[in-house]
Amino acid sequence: HYLRRTLPLLSSGPKVKHALHPLGQMSEPVKSLPSPTSSGGQPAGSDTYKGWLYKWTNYLKGYQRRWFVLSNGLLSYYRTQAEMAHTCRGTITLATAHIEVGDTCHLVLTSGGRNYHLKATSDGESQRWVSALQQAKANTTHMMHQSDDSGDEAPVPQPDRALTQGALKTLASKLDDLSTCNELIGKHGTALQRSLSELEDLRTATDGTDKLKTVNERATLFRITSNAMINACRDFLDVAETHSRRWQRALQYEREQRHHLEETIEQLAKQHNSLERAWREAPSTHPGQRTREGDASDENEDTEFFDAMEDSPAFITVTATDHTQHRSDAGSDNMQLRRVRRSRIPDKPNYSLNLWSIMKNCIGKELSKIPMPVNFNEPLSMLQRLTEDLEYSDLLDRAARCESSLEQMCLVAAFSVSSYSTTIHRTAKPFNPLLGETYELDRLDDFGYRSICEQVSHHPPAAAHHVTSQRGWTLWQEITIDSKFRGKYISVMPLGCIHLQFHSSGNHYVWGKVTSTVHNIIVGKLWIDQSGDIEIVNHRTKDTCHLKFVPYSYFSRDLPRKVTGVVADSEGTAHHILSGTWDEKMESAKIVESSRGCGGSEGKQKTVYQTLQPKLLWKKYPLPENAENMHFFSSLALTLNEPEEGVAPTDSRLRPDQRLMEAGLWDEANAHKQRLEERQRLERRKREAQATQALEEDFEGFQPLWFERRTDDSTGDSTYVYRGGYWESKDRQDWSQCPDIF
C-alpha cells in the first residue's frame, strides 16, 4: 500500500499542458450580442457592439454625441469613429458596473464611483443598448466566476488566463506532493532511528539478523521518499522557472515598448518646440499677420454688426482680411551679435508641503506678514516679477511710431494686458524684497531699454520702477501690494499707477492693475484668475480706453480669461473695439458706425457697432521646453536671476536664499530666509527706536537710495520717481552708498 502511494512520485509528475486542458473547457465563448435594426448601432463581430450615444459632459456643454464601442466586457467611447485608431476618451468596465435604466431614452452606468449619463436617439435604440450592456455584463461576470479571478477589474484574454490558471494548478499539486513526502520522511525517519537504537542493544545473532532486515527496509523507504521529494521539488522549480521566463519576456517587451513610446513622445515634443520657435522667429509668421487659410471663409465680408452693453463692453470681432503686417523695428537691431543668455534653470524639486496647515491660522491677515517657507515661492523677487512686465516691450516700440493717438492707445492697452500672460501657471508667490533691495535689467543691446527697481517700503510693501528706452518711450510706476488670505482663496490687489510717456508726441498714459486671485487653497489644484477693470487715460489728448477682465465663472458661456475694451476719444466717441484673453492674444477692430439698439437686460440700452476686420495686436510667446519643471518661467523670466557682473550689492540676484532655492537647495534656502527676515525685523526695530527718540527733530525714517517722492504734474498724485544716479554709479563701480542688506 505504501509503495502504491509513493512510487508515482518518483516520476516527473503531470506536465503543465495536462493541467491546462480541463480549464480550457470550463470557459464559454462570449455569446453574440443582439443586432440592432436601426442605424444607431451595429454589430461588429460576435462580441462587439458599436453606435452613437449622447454622453453628459458638464453644465456648459450638456450632452455631447460620442461613438461608443462595446467589446470584451468593456464600453469605450470616442469623439468620432476616426479617433478609434489613436485616442480613447474613456472606458467603462461592465463587470463592476451598475446599469440603471431611466426615462425617455436615458440610462446611467455607475463604475468606480463615477456616474455616466447616456442618452439614445430613440426608445428602441435605448432598449437595444441596454440589452447589449446587460448581456455583456452577464457574460463577463460568468467568465470571471468560472476562472476564479473575480478580483480583476477587466477581463484577461482567454489564452493567457488558461495558461496562468494551469500553471497555478500544477504548482498547487506539486505542493501537495511535497507535503505528503514531508510527512512520510518524518514518520520513517523516526522509525529508522528507533531501529538503530534497538540494534545497539542486541545480544544474540538471530535477533541481529532480524533487526538488520528491518533497518534495511526502513532505510529503503526513507530513500524512496527522499527521492520522491527531490523530484517533486525539481518539477516545482521547472514550472516556476518556465513561467518566470515567459513573464520576464513579456515584461521586457512591455519595457521596450514603453521606452520606444517615451522616445517617440520626446522626439515629438522637441519637434513641436522647434516648430514653435521657428514660428516665433520667422518674419512671415509675426503676430501681426493672418494666414490666408483662416481668412478665406470671410473674404467677401468687409463689415459686420455686433452688440455690446455700454457699461460692460463684451464684443465679438470679425475675421480679418487685411493682411497688413506689423513688424517690429527691432529686426534690424537683431542682426548684431548679442550675449547668449541662459535658456534653463535647475528643475524644481518635488517637495510636498501642506499649504492649509500653515495658513489656516492666518485667515484675514495680510499675505506679506505671513511667515512662508520657500516651498511656496518661486526663485524670483517681486522686483523681478515687476520687471517681467517688459517681456512685450516691442508693443511700446511699435506704439512710439504710431501717428494716430487712438491706434497708439490700442497698442498701450495690449501692452497692459500682456503683463498678465506670464501668470497663467505661476501660482507660487515671489520673494518679498528686503527694504532697500534693488533689481536692474540692462537690455540696451537687445531691446534698447534699461530698467531699475527699488523696494521703497516694507509695510506696506511697495516698489518703485523706472524704465528708459532708446526707442522713444519712458515708463515708471510705484506699486503697493495689498494681499489678503480669505480662507479658500488669496486676493492680491496691486495699488498705484503705471505711467508711460512717448518722447516724440508727449502722450502721457496712466493706468492701474487688476486683482489677481489664487483659488483652491484648501483642496484641489491651485489656479489663478485676473478680474476687474482698467481705465487707461491719455492726459495730453484725453483719449480713454476701458478694459474689462471678465472673472471666471463655471456657469458662464464666455471664453475663459476674456478681456474686452473700448477706445474712445475725448468726446466719448468709440473708435476701436478690443477683444481677446489675457493669457493668449488681443485684437482691435476699427468702428465704422455705431447706433442705439433695442433695450437689453435690466432696462439698459445696447449700442450696435459696425466694425472692420480685427487686427492682431499681441500674441503670447510659447513657453520654453521643460517649462513645467522650471516654475513655468517664460524665456525672459529664465534670464532674470542670471548672475551679472557689476550690479549693485543690493541686487536681487545676490540674495542668498533666492539663489539657493533656484539651485534646488530648499533646506539651506529656508535657513537663510529666516536669517534675513530676523535681521530685517531687527533693523526695523532700530529705526522705530530712532524715530521715537527724534520725534522733536522731525525724523524722516527710511529714505530710498535711487527714488524720491514727487507730485506728478499730470495726475496730481504723489509717487516715487527715479532721481537718477544708478547707472552712473554702475559705470564708476561706486556702490559706497548702498546698505548691507544681505
Side-chain angles (χ1 to χ4, degrees):
H1 171 76
Y2 173 78
L3 291 176
R4 283 198 306 270
R5 181 181 177 188
T6 308
L7 284 175
L9 298 178
L10 294 174
S11 65
S12 60
K15 300 298 181 184
V16 176
K17 62 181 181 180
H18 298 151
L20 291 178
H21 179 69
L23 186 64
Q25 299 189 3
M26 290 175 64
S27 301
E28 300 178 0
V30 181
K31 298 179 180 179
S32 300
L33 298 175
S35 300
T37 57
S38 67
S39 60
Q42 62 180 14
S46 61
D47 59 348
T48 303
Y49 189 82
K50 300 180 180 180
W52 292 101
L53 287 174
Y54 288 87
K55 175 184 174 294
W56 175 263
T57 55
N58 53 51
Y59 285 99
L60 293 178
K61 297 183 179 179
Y63 281 94
Q64 296 292 315
R65 193 166 182 251
R66 297 289 184 261
W67 179 254
F68 280 80
V69 177
L70 173 61
S71 178
N72 293 327
L74 299 176
L75 180 65
S76 305
Y77 58 92
Y78 313 82
R79 284 188 178 176
T80 62
Q81 292 174 271
E83 267 195 352
M84 293 178 62
H86 54 83
T87 304
C88 178
R89 298 291 170 175
T91 301
I92 305 170
T93 304
L94 293 180
T96 57
H98 173 69
I99 304 173
E100 181 179 350
V101 182
D103 298 332
T104 63
C105 310
H106 285 74
L107 60 146
V108 181
L109 298 181
T110 303
S111 176
R114 286 191 59 185
N115 293 330
Y116 299 86
H117 296 264
L118 309 178
K119 184 171 65 173
T121 55
S122 64
D123 289 335
E125 183 63 25
S126 176
Q127 289 298 325
R128 281 187 285 274
W129 269 106
V130 170
S131 300
L133 292 170
Q134 289 177 341
Q135 185 171 354
K137 175 179 171 63
N139 291 340
T140 304
T141 306
H142 182 61
M143 283 194 299
M144 292 175 67
H145 284 312
Q146 285 187 330
S147 62
D148 194 22
D149 196 18
S150 59
D152 290 346
E153 292 185 356
V156 178
Q158 191 62 27
D160 289 345
R161 183 185 295 277
L163 193 59
T164 302
Q165 292 297 323
L168 291 175
K169 220 172 185 183
T170 303
L171 292 175
S173 66
K174 293 299 178 184
L175 190 60
D176 290 339
D177 292 345
L178 290 174
S179 299
T180 302
C181 291
N182 184 53
E183 293 176 1
L184 293 174
I185 285 176
K187 175 182 176 182
H188 294 292
T190 302
L192 183 59
Q193 288 179 350
R194 188 169 58 249
S195 297
L196 291 174
S197 298
E198 293 174 352
L199 188 61
E200 293 178 354
D201 299 335
L202 291 180
R203 295 179 178 176
T204 62
T206 305
D207 293 340
T209 302
D210 295 337
K211 293 298 181 181
L212 284 174
K213 183 177 180 182
T214 303
V215 169
N216 285 332
E217 289 178 354
R218 290 178 176 176
T220 301
L221 292 174
F222 191 89
R223 187 173 62 255
I224 291 173
T225 306
S226 299
N227 290 336
M229 188 171 188
I230 291 173
N231 288 334
C233 288
R234 185 180 295 111
D235 289 343
F236 190 97
L237 182 62
D238 289 343
V239 172
E241 286 181 345
T242 300
H243 282 268
S244 175
R245 287 192 297 270
R246 179 179 179 274
W247 290 116
Q248 284 291 338
R249 287 195 300 271
L251 180 61
Q252 182 63 27
Y253 174 77
E254 293 298 332
R255 284 175 176 169
E256 292 174 355
Q257 292 291 351
R258 177 180 174 180
H259 181 67
H260 177 69
L261 183 61
E262 288 176 348
E263 288 181 342
T264 303
I265 292 175
E266 182 180 1
Q267 187 66 25
L268 288 174
K270 290 180 179 178
Q271 292 176 1
H272 182 263
N273 186 262
S274 299
L275 288 173
E276 284 185 338
R277 189 177 293 109
W279 170 86
R280 177 177 172 181
E281 296 174 354
S284 62
T285 54
H286 197 274
Q289 187 177 14
R290 293 273 183 165
T291 59
R292 185 170 300 173
E293 180 183 355
D295 301 335
S297 61
D298 297 306
E299 60 185 358
N300 296 324
E301 298 180 9
D302 293 329
T303 59
E304 247 181 72
F305 293 92
F306 298 98
D307 294 347
M309 296 297 294
E310 282 189 337
D311 60 335
S312 177
F315 306 104
I316 307 172
T317 56
V318 297
T319 305
T321 57
D322 182 8
H323 294 279
T324 303
Q325 186 173 0
H326 302 286
R327 298 179 183 269
S328 172
D329 66 345
S332 59
D333 297 335
N334 289 344
M335 298 304 293
Q336 59 182 320
L337 292 177
R338 294 177 181 173
R339 168 182 171 179
V340 178
R341 302 190 182 274
R342 67 182 186 182
S343 59
R344 67 170 294 113
I345 59 175
D347 287 356
K348 176 184 176 182
N350 188 19
Y351 284 177
S352 62
L353 197 61
N354 187 357
L355 179 62
W356 177 246
S357 65
I358 293 176
M359 304 193 67
K360 62 184 177 182
N361 298 322
C362 304
I363 297 177
K365 291 185 180 179
E366 186 180 341
L367 193 61
S368 62
K369 296 182 180 180
I370 301 175
M372 301 281 285
V374 300
N375 303 54
F376 299 121
N377 285 34
E378 61 180 15
L380 290 178
S381 74
M382 190 62 205
L383 302 180
Q384 291 165 313
R385 282 291 292 267
L386 205 58
T387 309
E388 268 194 86
D389 290 357
L390 301 173
E391 178 151 13
Y392 298 95
S393 62
D394 62 298
L395 291 172
L396 301 184
D397 298 340
R398 289 164 51 191
R401 302 192 306 273
C402 283
E403 297 181 358
S404 168
S405 62
L406 293 172
E407 292 181 0
Q408 189 179 70
M409 175 70 84
C410 293
L411 290 167
V412 172
F415 174 78
S416 69
V417 175
S418 69
S419 62
Y420 298 96
S421 64
T422 61
T423 66
I424 180 64
H425 301 295
R426 305 269 289 279
T427 55
K429 66 182 292 289
F431 280 78
N432 292 329
L434 304 178
L435 190 61
E437 185 174 332
T438 61
Y439 179 72
E440 69 158 73
L441 188 67
D442 189 345
R443 291 290 192 267
L444 278 180
D445 296 336
D446 301 270
F447 305 110
Y449 67 78
R450 272 179 166 179
S451 166
I452 175 66
C453 290
E454 183 177 9
Q455 187 76 357
V456 296
S457 174
H458 188 63
H459 286 302
H465 184 203
H466 182 85
V467 189
T468 301
S469 173
Q470 295 177 339
R471 297 175 184 172
W473 53 269
T474 300
L475 181 145
W476 67 96
Q477 59 180 319
E478 178 198 342
I479 298 297
T480 301
I481 301 296
D482 183 16
S483 52
K484 295 292 184 182
F485 174 49
R486 308 293 186 181
K488 292 184 179 180
Y489 60 90
I490 293 174
S491 295
V492 180
M493 296 150 285
L495 308 176
C497 293
I498 304 171
H499 296 257
L500 172 65
Q501 189 166 24
F502 292 97
H503 303 164
S504 59
S505 65
N507 287 337
H508 182 183
Y509 296 88
V510 180
W511 70 92
K513 286 181 172 284
V514 297
T515 299
S516 301
T517 307
V518 181
H519 295 269
N520 288 349
I521 298 300
I522 298 178
V523 65
K525 183 180 180 180
L526 295 176
W527 61 279
I528 195 168
D529 192 25
Q530 315 288 348
S531 59
D533 296 339
I534 291 180
E535 191 78 23
I536 307 176
V537 179
N538 183 344
H539 283 273
R540 191 185 73 85
T541 64
K542 305 305 177 184
D543 299 338
T544 61
C545 175
H546 181 80
L547 291 172
K548 182 177 181 61
F549 287 66
V550 181
Y552 175 80
S553 174
Y554 183 79
F555 300 100
S556 174
R557 294 182 178 271
D558 284 336
L559 188 69
R561 298 173 284 279
K562 183 178 180 180
V563 180
T564 59
V566 173
V567 175
D569 60 20
S570 58
E571 302 296 327
T573 303
H575 289 267
H576 294 273
I577 289 176
L578 305 179
S579 63
T581 58
W582 53 262
D583 69 319
E584 185 178 356
K585 66 179 180 178
M586 286 296 293
E587 295 177 333
S588 69
K590 184 176 178 58
I591 298 174
V592 178
E593 184 181 349
S594 62
S595 60
R596 294 291 182 179
C598 58
S601 60
E602 302 178 1
K604 298 178 181 178
Q605 196 172 26
K606 289 184 178 180
T607 301
V608 179
Y609 291 120
Q610 182 183 0
T611 65
L612 295 176
Q613 299 82 0
K615 296 180 180 179
L616 187 64
L617 298 173
W618 159 76
K619 187 176 180 65
K620 181 186 177 182
Y621 299 146
L623 288 175
E625 184 180 357
N626 196 40
E628 65 278 5
N629 295 320
M630 299 186 295
H631 309 273
F632 287 100
F633 281 178
S634 64
S635 298
L636 174 63
L638 288 173
T639 67
L640 292 180
N641 207 42
E642 187 174 8
E644 295 270 357
E645 294 183 0
V647 298
T650 54
D651 196 273
S652 299
R653 298 176 180 88
L654 305 176
R655 182 166 174 166
D657 52 350
Q658 185 174 302
R659 178 63 59 194
L660 288 168
M661 185 199 174
E662 181 184 278
L665 304 174
W666 286 16
D667 293 335
E668 295 86 342
N670 271 316
H672 276 276
K673 184 173 184 290
Q674 293 175 8
R675 177 184 63 82
L676 291 175
E677 290 173 347
E678 182 58 36
R679 180 176 178 180
Q680 185 169 241
R681 285 189 287 268
L682 180 61
E683 291 293 331
R684 186 176 70 250
R685 287 194 291 267
K686 287 182 179 179
R687 285 193 300 271
E688 291 173 352
Q690 292 173 358
T692 303
Q693 295 174 2
L695 283 176
E696 299 178 356
E697 302 175 7
D698 192 20
F699 182 73
E700 294 183 354
F702 175 80
Q703 293 297 318
L705 191 58
W706 310 110
F707 288 81
E708 63 183 3
R709 185 170 289 281
R710 296 179 194 166
T711 300
D712 187 86
D713 297 335
S714 300
T715 64
D717 296 332
S718 178
T719 183
Y720 279 98
V721 295
Y722 180 56
R723 71 169 72 189
Y726 179 87
W727 302 108
E728 292 77 7
S729 295
K730 182 180 180 182
D731 292 338
R732 299 192 308 267
Q733 282 299 294
D734 178 13
W735 303 115
S736 57
Q737 308 174 70
C738 296
D740 180 16
I741 61 174
F742 297 143

